[in-house]
Amino acid sequence: MAEDDAKLGEVLARGLREQGYVVDLVPDGETAASYLRFYEYEVAVVDWRMPRLSGIDLIQRLRGGGPDSPGRAIPVLMLTARDTPADRIAGLDAGADDYLVKPFDFGELLARLRALQRRPRHAQLPRIVIGNLEFDPASRDVQIDGRRPTLTATELGILEMLMRRSPGVATRRAIAQHVWDNEADAFGSNTIDVHLARLRAKVASAGVRIETLRGVGYRIVPA
């Protein structure tokens, strides 16, 4: 999420994390562009007016990349206080997939994100599967042999990060930054270990193993 209003960005990021989303929040367009070059996202939420690089310029840069550019196919939801028909046309013509005018209802934001996630994308499977564990990013649905384990929003956020990076490693700092509003709440304590222990118990029958790499982080692999 790219939003230069720090208070609004923090409120939205907190709300999305409470719904089980993994969120990166950045304050300007150039930082957003660098994140989009190195990480894969289901949806990018982009404010129109931002320092360093506007939302319009950011979207045009994404859409103007080559066919293998990682950000080219990411669905983009534009947030803006500009609500004239000409503004909406400009945003959509620049490459935005949807447009939400401030102020807006958080429930509508969630509904629009779900709609964008349901759209098919090239080079991305609809589900992430490891062992007998399946995760559907669009519906936020986790299944183990057709059974849905009961996961908290925090556990779901950790599991998504581990599954997306598998067989790579998710560092403790990355988990703290992506899943918690204040990374210090998790990074400087045993909070992450407690949630990982609970998550391990809930996916024990899924044919996967969550490994701890001391001093590095965690990864999930087939058992």
Side-chain angles (χ1 to χ4, degrees), residues 11-71:
V11 168
L12 294 177
R14 183 181 304 113
L16 290 170
R17 287 172 180 141
E18 289 174 352
Q19 294 296 314
Y21 286 90
V22 172
V23 181
D24 281 327
L25 175 62
V26 298
D28 63 79
E30 283 291 355
T31 304
S34 66
Y35 272 58
L36 288 162
R37 281 196 299 270
F38 294 109
Y39 301 107
E40 289 188 13
Y41 295 96
E42 286 296 314
V43 180
V45 180
V46 176
D47 186 32
W48 182 309
R49 291 185 176 178
M50 292 187 294
R52 301 181 66 198
L53 188 69
S54 73
I56 286 285
D57 291 336
L58 172 62
I59 294 170
Q60 289 176 332
R61 182 184 295 185
L62 287 176
R63 301 310 188 215
D68 297 326
S69 172

Side-chain angles (χ1 to χ4, degrees), residues 4 25 33 35 52 67 83 101 114 120-121 125 131 142 155 161-162 173 183 189 192 201-202:
D4 68 332
L25 175 62
Y35 272 58
R52 301 181 66 198
D83 62 351
V101 177
R114 290 192 296 267
R121 288 176 58 190
L125 296 174
V142 176
E155 291 164 352
M161 170 166 272
L162 291 174
R173 183 173 294 279
E183 66 176 278
S189 68
I192 294 177
K202 292 181 179 182

Side-chain angles (χ1 to χ4, degrees), residues 5-221:
D5 183 328
K7 290 185 178 179
L8 175 60
E10 290 170 2
V11 168
L12 294 177
R14 183 181 304 113
L16 290 170
R17 287 172 180 141
E18 289 174 352
Q19 294 296 314
Y21 286 90
V22 172
V23 181
D24 281 327
L25 175 62
V26 298
D28 63 79
E30 283 291 355
T31 304
S34 66
Y35 272 58
L36 288 162
R37 281 196 299 270
F38 294 109
Y39 301 107
E40 289 188 13
Y41 295 96
E42 286 296 314
V43 180
V45 180
V46 176
D47 186 32
W48 182 309
R49 291 185 176 178
M50 292 187 294
R52 301 181 66 198
L53 188 69
S54 73
I56 286 285
D57 291 336
L58 172 62
I59 294 170
Q60 289 176 332
R61 182 184 295 185
L62 287 176
R63 301 310 188 215
D68 297 326
S69 172
R72 183 178 177 87
I74 294 175
V76 176
L77 173 61
M78 174 166 280
L79 305 180
T80 180
R82 306 174 65 149
D83 62 351
T84 68
D87 290 329
R88 291 194 292 272
I89 291 169
L92 295 170
D93 281 349
D97 296 275
D98 201 356
Y99 193 103
L100 191 56
V101 177
K102 302 175 183 177
F104 52 82
D105 182 81
F106 184 68
E108 182 178 0
L109 172 65
L110 290 174
R112 289 177 181 270
L113 289 177
R114 290 192 296 267
L116 290 174
Q117 287 177 289
R118 287 194 296 268
R119 294 184 182 181
R121 288 176 58 190
H122 297 296
Q124 178 172 314
L125 296 174
R127 286 178 174 265
I128 304 171
V129 180
I130 302 174
N132 300 322
L133 183 64
E134 297 186 20
F135 172 67
D136 186 337
S139 65
R140 321 301 297 162
D141 181 55
V142 176
Q143 293 191 31
I144 300 172
D145 290 327
R147 174 180 58 84
R148 291 179 173 84
T150 301
L151 301 177
T152 66
T154 299
E155 291 164 352
L156 180 58
I158 294 173
L159 181 62
E160 178 178 4
M161 170 166 272
L162 291 174
M163 292 186 73
R164 285 186 177 279
R165 298 198 176 186
S166 180
V169 176
T171 66
R172 289 177 60 87
R173 183 173 294 279
I175 291 173
Q177 289 175 333
H178 284 69
V179 181
W180 274 266
D181 295 318
N182 184 349
E183 66 176 278
D185 292 342
F187 188 68
S189 68
N190 69 340
T191 301
I192 294 177
D193 302 289
V194 170
H195 284 282
L196 259 296
R198 293 172 180 166
L199 183 59
R200 282 189 177 99
K202 292 181 179 182
V203 301
S205 63
V208 298
R209 184 173 65 254
I210 298 177
E211 300 178 337
T212 300
L213 284 76
R214 295 194 179 279
V216 180
Y218 308 90
R219 67 182 173 192
I220 188 169
V221 293

